[in-house]
Amino acid sequence: MVLLYNLHPFGWQQVVPTRQEPWVFCCGREALLVASAPSACKVEVFLASSGAAAGAGPELCQPLGAFGTLGRVLRMAYGEEGDYVVTIEEKNQTLFLRVYVNWRCMSAGSSRVCVRIVGHNLEEPYPEAAKDQMSIIEIPLSDPPLCFSSCPLTGDLLVACKHKLILFCLKRLAVSQDVTVLDFERTLVLHVQNLIPSEVAFCAGYVAITTELEVLVFKLETAEKVAGNRRRHIYESLEPPNVHEGLKEDFYSVPLESDDFVICQQPVELLEEESRRCGISVTLESTGLFGEESNYQIQYVLYRRFAPDMSSFVFSADDAKLHSLQLLPMYETENSVTSDRGDPTKQELLSLFCFFSLPHIGYLYTIANLVELISTYQYSERSQQAVLTPRFLHVITSNSLQCFTVRCSAAAARDKDPYIDTTLKACPPISLNVCTLRMQLFIGLKAISHFKNHIIILTKADTEDITERKKTSRRLLSRKSDSIRSKVSTESEPGWNLYIVHTTSTLQLYREMVEYSKTYENVKTESCIHLLSEAHLLIRTALMDPDLKASEEKEELLEAFQESCALLGDCYSRFDTKDFHLALPYYKMSGLSITEVLKRVDSTLDDKTQKHEKGFIFYLHHSLYEDLEEELSEELAAKVLQIFYLAEPSQMPHVICSPCLKHVCPRIAMEYLEKVEAIVPSIVVTLTKASMALKIGDQERCKNELDKYAEMMLVCGFIVEPRLLRQQIKGQIIPTELAIYLRETRSGFFVASLLALHENNKIELEEADLYIKMLCAQEEDTVAQLLVDFWEALLVTCAQENVVKELQFKLATQYIWRLSRKQLPDTKPLKTAEDLINSCGHYGLIFPWVIFMMSLTPPDNQNSSEDLSKLQSLLCGPSFNIASILPFLETLPEDTISGLSIHVLCSTQLGQYDKSIDKLLERCPEAIIPYAQHELKDEHQALWWNKLLPELCKRTRCNGEYYPVFLSSLQETLSVIAMALELKDFLNVVPEDGNAAFFLPHLLQCSRRKQLT
């Protein structure tokens, strides 16, 4: 459906002062080129610039000159990349394809002209004066050219002949140091069966072809040839072998026996891979001149076939022909999306649109990324030609110039950002119905073109139209006073005119659309949203203009963009529409604060107690859920509570917990919570009431509220609303009054709640660390016991290996730090070492030899003993990384039993048994046998006789303080060796200078063991 608005997209118009009747015309940058009527071979050049002074009327286009052509111009187009003009000319009933290079010199008055054939000896005919002369490049063809198209990105030229397309690549040749000339090289021939082109479009490798009722779009791609393959000059298309058995087979198989019938095929639309079944084969023939490694393939994109319009009784083939084929590119440059222009070396194709039209309906497809029909245009009367621009679609009929909106910027925005339709940003949908902004009456419209924000139209009135206009004028004038005389002159009415119509500036048309939308504002219809969406897309398209630089105009456009977002946010927040959720992203893009939005919406309500629509509630709900730095006043905070109490009372606790409502009156909040609890009681409501009671200063009421539910159920409430425990202000996590209260009165419950938040991804480990440090307000180098309790509890439940490693390191270093400084915990630990050993697999059973060592010396302090036991248990665990804490062991001395036990544990876990034995023999020989019995087993059993026995023998030779300990340890060691070794091996390990009487009992023991076995 096409909506009709009576806006003013057209400003004022200029008449182009051509000396002869225009035949064809095109625009080249700032120049308008007009080919004269068939009787003359000349192209006039005009400056396509308004040149209007402020407050003055528009000036006519200034003539820049003219240049002659070699034949009568039938078609003409301008090549943006290369600044050339290409024509199809007729002379002596023969068609020629010519390219005019450096034509601006000729139009400026230079008389030097050079004619050359494409690709032939460019050096010889180019002296130093070459840059001051125009060159005409003759491009010989074996078949007459039908149409052509120039790629705006590369300047390559695609020429259509009967049953084939020829690609000419643009190249630049440096003739001398100061002179560079343009030339073309025939690169590829595409043989197209079953299709005679009437129009062709070429852009960024995409080729679009139309016949009277068919459209084919495919992409021409280059690919590296397989190494080692011989070069081939014929490359087949991507179609399957049975391509000729496609959709056209039924048509050609019908016997055409009578001229009394018109055979019409059924309409067909095939997209992407399906379009390969169109029945049109394309064979690629390389000329072999472009490069040794070039290889081409085609990828079918779109095929559509139409049926002729048989609604009228008299059928005319001209009433059913396709026309106005066009490819409109949009490019992505460094930080902006551009269309049609810009530096091609820095451009990448972002979106590509294909437009074609029947006499009564037009079609716009996007084809670059996703092939999709995005808009159809129903014309009020038969169209003659149409031209697509990034802003509008302009269509001419016999008597009117029509302006339609387009969806190119909406599609390009989504191609650039696939996630544009989120809660943070939005864009009007591509499927939004198009509308007609204006139908401007013109008599005898024949052709149309566009240049930037200008439309060029050619009018040519029939003789009957001129005569009738004169009669009407005379009748009107005869009714006026005799003093008014008619000044109608036949010379001033040649029957044709060429106009440049200046389109209205973006900002002016945007303001008109906004003003027009106010007529629908009170009735709250979709038309208001539709018109504001059109205005938004208009501004978005202007911001994509590559010529838009940092200027006052850009600032105004950005302000208008934000204003349009705010207006759309107003509509979606006030109207009862299915897309109410769009109020949130549009308000976000508008840059408005919550306070400003509240005032905007509140000002539109007649009744201040009126219930708000879903869109506004959705916006407010999501905004209050975010950790914004904005703080509402007490009055607005109370207003927000009233809004949610009427609309969504179940969300009241979450609203109160928002940082934006920091200044809410706690007594008013408590009143609303009691009302909500009577309607929808919940744990979150109870916890919020407890929080408000603390703000009032009533701790007893807080305790009573918390006692209503079991602690595990209260933990679930914190998971639903974690902001009851923490607030994020300016990027920093701040504890709430309720968190401080729970830390002081119910620390175990607080740790369990924080643990639940971490397990449910409500808080990260680093955030929890900072949060607890801030809550406990400890010195910078001191770790609160509450944080250690949290680490221990988290280690019990955590299953993520990386988090487990980090927790083990944190705990071990903290235990070492306390033991080295003899620092006691600031509060009583929640778990003992025994609790952790029984509940956590990462805390292992303390080895017996460690327990024996600790029994030799009584602990200085119970809490210090707990830290030591936890550290010993952690080191005895199965998964601890000993190497990570070795640098920290230097602070723990070995001259105490506790410190020695830690050092020996670490050495043993690292496999350094020799070092551990030395340390024990040196500082705690009483523990050497328990240590050896536990550690020296299996592959380490040989250390009994290789390490321990020699060391004990050496130490028993010296009478000292530990002599009895060494002697008994030696006796035990010999008993173990006697049971482990053969008699011969046992004799080998006994020292040669030993006392025979001392070793004899052990030798007998070893001998008897052998006899028994």
Side-chain angles (χ1 to χ4, degrees), residues 120 133 135 146 170 352 357 380 437 513 595 599 619 724 760 777 818 829 848 851 859 883 921 942-943 1010:
H120 280 230
Q133 70 179 12
S135 298
L146 302 178
L170 177 68
L352 186 64
S357 180
S380 59
L437 297 182
M513 287 181 168
T595 300
K599 292 179 179 179
Y619 159 75
L724 286 164
N760 288 273
R818 285 182 180 176
I851 298 175
L921 290 175
L943 290 173
K1010 183 176 180 181

Side-chain angles (χ1 to χ4, degrees), residues 146 161-163 192 194-199 209-212:
L146 302 178
C161 303
K162 186 176 181 180
H163 296 312
V192 185
N194 304 331
L195 189 144
I196 301 177
S198 59
E199 284 185 299
I209 313 170
T210 60
T211 62
E212 291 186 355

